[in-house]
Amino acid sequence: MNLDLLAIAAHPDDVELTCGGTMLKMAEAGYKTGILDLTAGEMGTRGTPETRAKEAAAAAKILKVKYRGTLGLPDSDVHASRQHKLRLASVIRELRPRTVIIPYWEARHPDHYNASTLCYEGCFLAGLKQLPISGEPFRPHKILYSTAFTTARPTFVVDITAQFKQRHKAILAFSSQFGPRSGSKKSEVFLAIDRLEDEMNQLARHYGDMIGVRYGEPFVQKEMIKVNDVVKMEVRSV
Ligand SMILES: [Zn+2]
């Protein structure tokens, strides 16, 4: 499929919350983008997998991605087993993304940090000729780590000010997760997820501030960032 950019994350709505603005920005720039959810999010407190699949498709439309798929791993049991890596590697061979965005390697939720290892190793294995799976060997050119769910210091921030409204819409497309709780009793247990969208928006403001814009999304790349023109470098020094 030769995608330019593929974002992979453990649960449906992780991509929207962590790098939805960047995905839309790249689609608007003319790149062919895609989202791969490792699980269907069946362990979530709210919403059935069927509902979440519908919501994921709606969110994908808002973010203008050309592809959205689910790898079908068990939610809460994402790990870098040989079997999971081979499954991921065959999808990488099909989609052939130049750049991938994967979760940062440290996180509170085990699925998130395990997804990071699984994604890195799956991308690596996809390039091995002798791997016992079908498809042409392929390895992405670039791996970026989304740090939005962590406190890790990003190495760069993408300006998503122009995409922020649509990102918000894409997040709200997961109405079983983020919609108003109609008919809910006051005694209902307050879930962390009720605060999540708010927190992610505040984070986008925080990282936007760090690069002198309204909203931004944070990433880490392991490699050094190459600069050709130090005179035209952006972000004003304080
Ligand atoms: Zn998640």
Side-chain angles (χ1 to χ4, degrees):
M1 201 176 180
N2 290 313
L3 290 181
D4 296 302
L5 177 64
L6 174 68
I8 314 172
H11 313 109
D13 75 28
D14 282 356
V15 166
E16 282 76 8
L17 289 163
T18 59
C19 60
T22 304
M23 294 309 290
L24 177 60
K25 184 173 181 141
M26 293 303 98
E28 286 174 345
Y31 289 118
K32 215 195 235 188
T33 62
I35 297 173
L36 178 65
D37 305 311
L38 295 176
T39 77
E42 68 271 18
M43 294 300 281
T45 314
R46 296 173 180 155
T48 62
E50 292 74 30
T51 324
R52 290 187 83 172
K54 271 188 205 151
E55 293 168 347
K61 240 187 190 171
I62 297 169
L63 298 182
K64 298 183 176 162
V65 300
K66 292 269 188 295
Y67 166 90
R68 183 163 206 157
T70 307
L71 199 62
L73 304 189
D75 188 359
S76 83
D77 196 22
V78 172
H79 56 269
S81 68
R82 176 84 175 158
Q83 191 204 1
H84 290 177
K85 282 189 270 189
L86 292 183
R87 258 162 92 171
L88 178 57
S90 35
V91 176
I92 294 291
R93 284 184 175 187
E94 266 169 50
L95 301 177
R96 306 177 73 79
R98 185 181 196 277
T99 298
V100 293
I101 296 175
I102 68 177
Y104 188 68
W105 55 86
E106 280 169 5
R108 192 180 65 87
H109 195 313
D111 275 357
H112 294 168
Y113 60 77
N114 285 329
S116 186
T117 312
L118 168 62
C119 290
Y120 176 82
E121 295 183 3
C123 287
F124 186 88
L125 290 191
L128 295 178
K129 257 191 205 145
Q130 303 300 337
L131 210 66
I133 55 169
S134 57
E136 281 288 297
F138 177 85
R139 196 170 285 155
H141 170 77
K142 191 72 167 175
I143 295 180
L144 304 174
Y145 299 84
S146 165
T147 60
F149 279 159
T150 77
T151 52
R153 184 177 167 83
T155 50
F156 69 94
V157 172
V158 175
D159 176 5
I160 60 147
T161 308
Q163 289 75 31
F164 184 76
K165 261 195 187 156
Q166 290 301 100
R167 176 182 106 146
H168 176 66
K169 260 195 187 171
I171 294 169
L172 290 190
F174 289 88
S175 53
S176 69
Q177 309 298 305
F178 302 107
R181 316 246 55 85
S182 58
S184 60
K185 295 186 192 104
K186 274 195 177 153
S187 61
E188 192 187 37
V189 184
F190 186 78
L191 296 175
I193 201 165
D194 293 321
R195 279 196 310 263
L196 191 56
E197 211 244 331
D198 242 19
E199 281 172 14
M200 298 314 284
N201 292 344
Q202 281 171 32
L203 262 182
R205 257 308 276 135
H206 170 72
Y207 287 114
D209 250 354
M210 290 177 87
I211 57 164
V213 303
R214 185 108 187 121
Y215 296 108
E217 283 172 345
F219 299 91
V220 158
Q221 73 159 5
K222 286 183 178 171
E223 305 77 31
M224 278 294 148
I225 291 172
K226 182 183 164 203
V227 171
N228 286 317
D229 186 337
V230 295
V231 176
K232 285 189 180 154
M233 283 181 77
E234 292 187 76
V235 185
R236 191 184 178 87
S237 296
V238 285

